[in-house]
Amino acid sequence: MGDFIKDAANWLTAPTRYSLASIAALAAVLVFRRFFSRTWVVTLFFALTTAFFVFAWQDPNFHAIITKPDNVPIIILFATVIFFSWLALRRMVINDERTKRGEPTLEGELSKQKVFTWPDLVYTEFICLILFTALLLVWSIEIPAPIEEPAATARTPNPSKAPWYFLGLQELLVYFDPWIAGVLLPGFIILGLCAIPYLDTNPKGNGYYTFEERPFAVSFFWVGFILFWVSFVVLGTFLRGPNWSFFGPFEYWDLHKLEPMVNVDLSTMFWVGLLDRPRPDNALVREAPGIVLLLGYFLVLPPLFAKTLFRGKFTEMGAVRYNVFMHLFLWFVLIPIKMGLRWTVSLKYFIGMPEYFFNV
Amino acid sequence: MADRGDTHYRTSRLNVWFTLSSVFLLASIVWMVLADWNRPWKGYQRRFRELELAKLEREAEELERSGAVASEEELRAAAEQARSKVDGRAAELKRTEEALTQARGARWKAVEDAKSAKAEYNWERFVVEEHRRASGDPEYGAERLAEVERRMNEAIALQQEAETAADQAQARRDELRADLDQAEAALAAGTRDLARVRSRLEALRPRDPAAKVAQVIRDAPGLDFVGPTLKVQKQVLDNLSIELNFAKGRRIDMCQTCHMGIDRAGFEEAEQPFTAHPRLDLYLTAKSPHPLKEVGCTICHRGDGLALDFVRADHRPSDPAEAERWEEQHHWDKQHHWDYPMLATPMVEASCVQCHKSSMELIADDAPTLTQGYRNFEQYGCYACHKVEWFPTKRRPGPTLKNFQAKFGLDFLQAWIANPKGFRPSTWMPQFFHLENYAPAEPVVASRYGAGREILGKEWDDASVSAISAYLASRAPRQALPPAPLEGDAHRGREVMRLSGCFACHNVAPWIGEAKTKDPALEKRDTNEMGPNLRGVATKLDRDWLYWWIRDPQGYWPETRMPDLRLSDQDAADITAYMIEDPDKIFHDVPQGWEASPVAMAEEPLREVLAEQARWFFSRDGRAAIERRLEGQDAEVRWDDLETLKVAVGEKLVANLGCFSCHEIEGLEDMMPIGTELTTWGSKTVDKLDFGFGKHLFGLDPHYREGWLTQKLHAPRSYDRDKVKNPSEKLRMPWFGFSDDQVQALATFVVGLVDDEVQRARMEPSADQLAMDTGLRAVRQNNCLACHMVDPGTVTFEDEHGVRRTVTAELLPLEDRPQPPSHELAQLRKDLEELELDEVGFRLLRAEPEVGGVGERVFVPTDKLFDLGAPRGGDFVRVVTDYYYFGIELFDPEAASEDEAYTYVTADPEGGGAVEDVDGSLRNHSEEPYDKIRWTFAPPVLWDEGAKLQKQWFYGFLHDVVPLRQQVRVRMPSFHFDGGEAAAITDYFALKSAREWPARYTRALHLSSGKTGGELAAEIGIEPAVLAGIENGNAADTQAAFSKVLRWGSESGYSMQGPVDPDFDVVEVRMPSYLAARAAELPEHLEIGRRIATDAVNCYQCHFRLGEPPPADPIAWAPDMALTRERLRPGWVRTWLADPSKLYPGTSMPANFTGDPPQYQAIYPNSNNEEQIRVVLEYLFNFDRMGLGEGSKTASR
């Protein structure tokens, strides 16, 4: 039984299945939100999770990875993010029902009341501050800072991991060229966050939780934050080992583990696979399929969507804001697309021009 | 804050929360400070303080017992007395002291005035110079400058006056206080130890309450940053680096923070971590060659020197049990993030390599495991495949294959390659085939790119052997040697082989089990494993080849270590006959199961396997080309011919396995070695090593490289176990069959090959040390010690006073046995028991203070004998003396009874045990005393040889050996020395004698003084331990105090022949100035010398005279006197003539100049012994100048 659970956990946490399962779980939570917002459901979930941890604790490999001082915040993150997301979900469900019944939202009701800055706000904040400082002190005494080997120019640690909060980004390096995964995409994230107030002028949901009034915005946020940030942090922390190979939570971190990965560029698929002829020498001609495809993706899809899927949005936002939004959105969507293509057809790059350091 | 009642939270409740959280924060801050303060190392330091206190208390008691306190009181009383005497002059003293105070005040003022005057003058000069340059007026300010200068000079004069006055006042006061000052100085000097112990005790456990409180405050939490008594102890090592933070950093070791007793004598028995280093004479103390301040800890032990915590220091358990204990006690685990794990104790010698690359031979005694590894590395030829940049030996370790077919046949070759140990279990040649990653019945590969049949390991290996053999044969077609010019006589050959020295380097020990006889050739010793065990060789060797090999080894293999014994044709033919005819059934005795048969494989499967090998090895040529060749469609490369295919595949196999690294193969002389370079293997991080399934299969810890290495050495191919590999991926290192000890030793050496972190700290050997090292290596590589004893053995016993002594001595023969027992305690005990002896005797070979002089015999009860130290060198002596007494003991396993099974043979056709002398006649010497046989027929001892031989002659002798003692049948071989080797050997002996001289002198002085060590040391004015140190050759003690010994010796009238000058030989007695002075003093001195030597003593009764043998039998012969002047150092000859047995106890040379009254007065009237020796010496060194004509030129070459 124990081995079966371990094997199942190892099997399920392979990156492909892990990502797909996360998407499915997220969709299920949002679709069946009434069910999931019940208290007993989340209680059961945490009870089962705790039981699983107690069981897994006995395993030396699991134990080793969980108890690393580095990873303690991630455990906390795991519990807190799930709990607070659940809390939000619950309030959404309640608010949506109340709105349907024509009642004010929970927060709306609450906002009629006033409290004092002192002591209700500042004093409580101060107490929290003190408690938190004390907690940090105790933590730092009991779990000393993890120190790794002295840095050396010629040798990087293996696995070489970013700080925990960047592990989600580091996961993208598996699928994208460093300048996209490490420069462009983080840049878009910052730009996108800055642009939110200008793109999203919808006043609904201000100050209260709701799903039904803003299904797209909430889903988009949950996918972006919980799936692509938090769950990838968890993946990068616990499931990526030496050589950035994947290791199940109960698997030994073997330095020599190999992963069969022969990835091909789109141009090779097109010229060699489809047309059965050598790839042209001229880089631009050679990469033309990828260039056409990406240009199509970024130039054709926005106007197309403006007429079809996002017609409402287009009229609501106007051309400029709509296009900014669409490009940010398309970049975001490119990530799961690329991941899917990597898993299914071993796509390396849409455009692979190493001679110009340009790979997409 | 009052509760208004209208807030969301009740303020009073928030106040409670605030209070609680504040208390919690305060508590955690206190906790933080305490946690930071209460480090584990402080506990260790407190514990050490207790230990040190206990030790100091013991010392204080000891001092009290030894009367130090009593003598302190005496001194104090004397000081008091002096004080009262001075007090008697109190009024006068007070006056002078006041005057002194005033004079000092005046001096201070005068000095200050002079300083200001000088400053003022300098300033004026600067201003004037500047102004003169700017205005162009050279006379500007001259007057003012002169005035300032005058003032300055006045001030200086006043200052000098004041100084003189102050000095005078001081002198007057000192004069009045002289008695007291002297007494106080004596008190301080006499109580130095006491004062040291007391002040340390006071520091550790102050009696003053204020000091006690201060100590607590200094160590209090939060205050201990100022001047704590418990503090981190660190060594900052400027000359050692460590790879840190993108650069080499300075090495800092803080180990001493806990290991507080590590460099202090007296803590040898203390518990860990306080134990003193086990070798304080070599390490850490200021006097040792590796002082703590310069070398620290981690450069040798590795581990994290900056860590202050048991676990973080990366301590290394010696075994799993210790690991378990540590896990329990310290929560120990391997520090994954530290690249330099501590070396396990048994391997710590590895670290010597990094500094001692150019002195590996010099450290041999202090690093035995490492040295064994270094020597095995050389002996097994590891360096041939694995490059180690600095490794001094470069020659190919295996014999040349350029004309191997003249030596043995191809059948033998194939069987040998397939399994060398099958023929000679002790061979250094490793096994390449039929190893575990080519398991005989398991498929290696499916042929024809996976489409064909599976080829099994045995087939693969058999085909490989056959291919290699074909290739080697194609490279070296047989060139027949001329037949031996003489027929040999096997019976005589047995004796020739025995006595000319073959068994110094070779043995013929049986392959399995114990030898049935006590024949020394059947015993394996370090020295007689220099060459291969010769058992069974007649089955493989060509008779003519063997003859020519014995005659002239370099003729076949120029790089061989086998020297030329300059055997006559007859001797060589006799040995050949003996070995080939093999009457004693030695040279045809091969291990069970050995058969020199070629690979048995039918042609078709052989072709199939070879074709498959060709596909792998020639894969670069492309499949089409390979198939074309195999089918015979390629006119140039016709692999359809089996022989051609074999040669082609064989060449690839030889290249792949690196045969050319060890053996010279025609055409492959310049190939690069195939093994991993090992120059810095010890710094390679573990993640670069392929452990295979070593973790699961052999329980290897993948965090440590040592385990990987030992497993690799034990079973080089074992990392392929359970792996699926094709032939190009399989491991290639051959199997050497190392023993556990060898693996440990080799691993120690290889782990020591690290990146250079010691550039500025490593030992830079002096020219002398370098010469010693090179000399020692040459001595070892040419196996000089097989025949020559360079250091006698030792005997440890308890004398009648109950003192345990270790003396340099040789054992005396037991009862009626002709030969003395060897220096092996267990064997000696057995013999003593057998003979029911309760006493054992030995003869001193070195002056032993308080025991006796050289040559004296000492007898001790057997139960007082504790230990024996083996002599260095001279194993072969036993082979010779055994032969003279018994002949060769043979064992016939088919004999009817035990008694009949043993026979003793010599070359004597009568069977009478006679041995051939150099004049060709057979004589029986077995009734002669051991000394006679040993000193006459066995290789000479070389102890203190540097003091005996002139370097120039020695050097020439090594290059061109001349027989000195004509009666000896052992041949001093003619070695083919590489550049510098012969010079290094002569240097080595000269330096060795020069170094040993101070100890020799001190011992002799000590002995002749008749005092105990303590008395003598006190008279000389040094510590008894230092005196003992000098007598035992301790370099630091000698350097520190030998000059005092020497001075004391010459003052007390002791004289001894001076030390050897290792650089130049000055033969003063041959110098014209010397001779002129002597002629003026005693015109006839040479003639008198000649008459004493020839007429009175009659040296030529035994000594050769200008090549003419003396009239006596060869057993009494002695070297040609004509050689003396070139060969011997005059100082040595003088000592020798005075009493030969003091240099070589047991020699036949009599003491001719000991008469009292002196003899030979008739020839040299009124002379004493010394003067007689002097004229004989002068004669010996100058007789070429006495008009002897032609004779002197042809002296016995």
Side-chain angles (χ1 to χ4, degrees), chain B residues 954-998:
Chain B
F954 192 11
Y955 179 77
F957 175 76
L958 289 173
H959 274 295
D960 184 11
V961 176
V962 291
L964 291 172
R965 292 184 297 148
Q966 310 282 351
Q967 73 277 35
V968 181
R969 288 187 67 192
V970 186
R971 313 311 293 257
M972 165 75 187
S974 295
F975 294 96
H976 289 249
F977 289 114
D978 286 345
E981 265 190 333
I985 292 174
T986 56
D987 281 345
Y988 162 69
F989 280 105
L991 286 163
K992 182 170 183 289
S993 289
R995 282 183 176 210
E996 287 170 358
W997 190 78

Side-chain angles (χ1 to χ4, degrees), chain B residues 399-472:
Chain B
T400 179
L401 298 181
K402 285 204 164 168
N403 188 19
F404 72 90
Q405 296 201 68
K407 182 175 171 185
F408 50 76
L410 289 180
D411 290 356
F412 173 82
L413 178 70
Q414 292 193 20
W416 169 259
I417 294 174
N419 181 12
K421 288 192 195 303
F423 174 72
R424 182 182 295 145
S426 64
T427 184
W428 303 320
M429 163 98 173
Q431 187 177 336
F432 286 83
F433 297 104
H434 307 297
L435 295 173
E436 61 178 303
N437 61 347
Y438 288 89
E442 277 170 30
V444 176
V445 68
S447 66
R448 291 183 187 273
Y449 312 110
R453 78 167 176 97
E454 284 185 332
I455 291 172
L456 303 181
K458 182 167 168 28
E459 292 178 294
W460 182 279
D461 280 348
D462 281 346
S464 305
V465 169
S466 145
I468 289 178
S469 146
Y471 170 72
L472 292 177

Side-chain angles (χ1 to χ4, degrees), chain B residues 512-543:
Chain B
I512 40 169
E514 286 277 301
K516 286 276 189 286
T517 73
K518 288 182 184 157
D519 185 350
L522 300 177
E523 287 169 14
K524 278 190 277 192
R525 296 175 297 268
D526 282 350
T527 47
N528 73 3
E529 292 199 293
M530 179 77 181
N533 185 329
L534 296 178
R535 195 159 275 266
V537 288
T539 61
K540 73 161 182 175
L541 294 179
D542 177 276
R543 186 181 186 127

Side-chain angles (χ1 to χ4, degrees), chain B residues 20 28 248 290 358 447 529 570 737 803 935 1033 1097 1130 1157 1176 1197:
Chain B
L20 286 176
S28 47
K248 280 189 186 250
H290 306 91
S358 54
S447 66
E529 292 199 293
Q570 186 61 55
V803 182
W935 288 98
V1097 179
V1176 170
R1197 276 264 159 136

Side-chain angles (χ1 to χ4, degrees), chain B residues 197-212:
Chain B
V197 170
R198 282 182 186 150
S199 80
R200 190 73 195 133
L201 270 172
E202 183 60 27
L204 289 178
R205 194 178 47 200
R207 270 174 302 182
D208 179 4
K212 252 184 211 168

